[in-house]
Amino acid sequence: MVLGCLAMTALAQSQFGEKPKLVVGIVVDQMRWDYLSRYYDQFCDGGFRRMTDQGFSCNNCLINYVPTITAIGHTSAYTGTTPAFHGICGNDFYIDGKKVVSCQDNSVKAVGSTTSHGNRSPRNLLTTTIGDQLRLHTDFQSKVVGISYKDRAAIFPAGHSANAAYWLDTKNLCFISSTYYMNELPDYVKQVNDDMKKNQEVKQAGERIGYTPLCGTVITDMAIAALQGEQMGRGQATDMLCVSYSQTDVIGHEWGTRGERTDAAYLTLDKDLSRLFSALDEQVGQGQWVAFLTADHGAAHNWRFQKEHRLPGGPLYNDELKKGIYDYLKEKYNITKKVIGDIIDYRIFLNYDQIESDDEAEDVKEGITAYVKSLPEYVTAVAFEQVRTAALPERLAEQILKGYYAGRSGDIIIIPKPHYYGSWKEAPLGQTTHGEWNPYDAHIPCLFLGWKIPHGATSREVHITDIAPTICQLLHIQQPSACIGEAITEITK
């Protein structure tokens, strides 16, 4: 018995004492899950296929809230929770009646340029992240750095206590940060920026670099520079590098889910991932780092493409919707005021400055929902406070509530029919977007590779919010402060 207890004690000490030297979080913006199989035969051995062939794949990973939007997805993956708790309700939303960019912070300034896109920080985020918990656990000895083309995709993954977050100033073609983190860029960032200014391909791409696969290459250059410049993975405490690739989203919005440009974006990214993984092996040591890869959302096929192939789908135009609502409210309720403040991500924000009483507000909500329900392009519409009692499938009602934060998410959510989405009047064959509950927007890759990760796969349903508790359990640290996800036991057992 004594020997058995001693053996169990030694096992526990070994288990809790062993940790990877570095965690790498990778988000590929707008990556549908089925791209893993679509491009598999074209991928090289060292990128996506290294993750699928040597790591662990959760083949049924779903986003468990609506809307499925960039800022929300990045935040949810790293906090293990949803907008109902972390408060990041979209790329843009309202705080105290004022529309804000998700990571906007006018109390800070850009570092590395003079652009207003440097007025950014994680202060609108209400919870902690994996990186915050890692920093807390190690008495802030761990280094945490976020890198992306987009500000929100660098800032929210890295969290509140990050050492740094860097994003691209496309006007000046350089990486910048904000005074939230530092007062001057480190030398290795300055060197990356100098190299970019000398790069003819970068100069030729100019402000539209995000529309090219080259953007992913530049992000990888910066990630490797931070890895080496910060000596990540070489200290006593585990470090964390958060990398987000946004060119896939920019290209997808412009040219859709099919075609040479999207193909090039993913095949170039595959090579960039291979290069990043090789740098990790060299800097940290093969088997000494652990990585996860996911997406913030997927994307719908273009509605014109759908129709061309006799598949359901069509466009939604917010201006036409708003006009129809106003005509309906005037006819049915004799309301002639401009009661809609905004429509963002399939959510209607009421203009309460134009609404005189609670009774009138109820009439407005009733009229809007009734009108939207009458339209052939929509499944339903419901005021957020009525979601629990509305005739909605339980799963959809839960997703709506998980995506809702009072005062930031608006007043009414509208649910389009599958493959109907917000569009532009002159949208060409390729363009598309995202934001809905449907699998094309909500089914995303979820891959793990490296330290202590078994090779295998699962088809059971897991969620974007399960990533954070899984990584935290591997690190033996506390989960983020509002985590609702569950550790993926096939990996952590």
Side-chain angles (χ1 to χ4, degrees), residues 97-138:
K98 183 179 180 181
K99 191 174 184 178
V100 299
V101 174
S102 58
C103 54
Q104 184 173 331
D105 183 354
N106 294 332
S107 71
V108 301
K109 296 180 179 180
V111 173
S113 80
T114 57
T115 177
S116 61
H117 292 296
N119 307 139
R120 304 289 187 261
S121 86
R123 286 194 172 111
N124 291 333
L125 173 61
L126 305 178
T127 64
T128 60
T129 63
I130 303 168
D132 290 328
Q133 296 302 139
L134 181 59
R135 296 263 291 157
L136 280 164
H137 188 81
T138 62

Side-chain angles (χ1 to χ4, degrees), residues 161-181:
S161 65
N163 299 83
Y166 303 107
W167 55 97
L168 265 177
D169 172 3
T170 55
K171 185 174 182 180
N172 295 298
L173 289 176
C174 63
F175 282 95
I176 62 171
S177 190
S178 83
T179 51
Y180 179 89
Y181 304 98

